Amino acid sequence: GTDDAFGLVLPHADTAMMALFLDAFSTSLAPKVHAILVMDKAGWHVTGRLKVPPNVTSYTCRRIRRD
């Protein structure tokens, strides 16, 4: 890894805030860099209204069953 980190402190968690995060994250990447974001299945992560930038791939984890 590169040990690079990116984060935003946002007022709430919803689709609009996730879109803001993705846009800011995408523009923070160096040219020709492609990132993969591993996310859970929160509603704002899986909504069809979320536009993922072309230099980012979102991967949604399946639920891990714990007995």
Side-chain angles (χ1 to χ4, degrees):
T2 63
D3 293 329
D4 290 340
F6 178 86
L8 294 177
V9 177
L10 300 169
H12 49 272
D14 63 11
T15 302
M17 295 296 107
M18 189 63 193
L20 190 140
F21 173 86
L22 285 173
D23 289 342
F25 176 67
S26 172
T27 59
S28 77
L29 298 174
K32 298 185 181 181
V33 168
H34 190 95
I36 298 173
L37 288 178
V38 179
M39 300 184 278
D40 62 13
K41 291 188 177 184
W44 55 89
H45 292 162
V46 297
T47 179
R49 297 185 322 225
L50 190 62
K51 304 292 186 246
V52 179
N55 61 339
V56 176
T57 296
S58 66
Y59 175 80
T60 306
C61 294
R62 61 183 172 86
R63 187 174 188 274
I64 298 173
R65 184 176 173 189
R66 298 181 189 216
D67 294 324

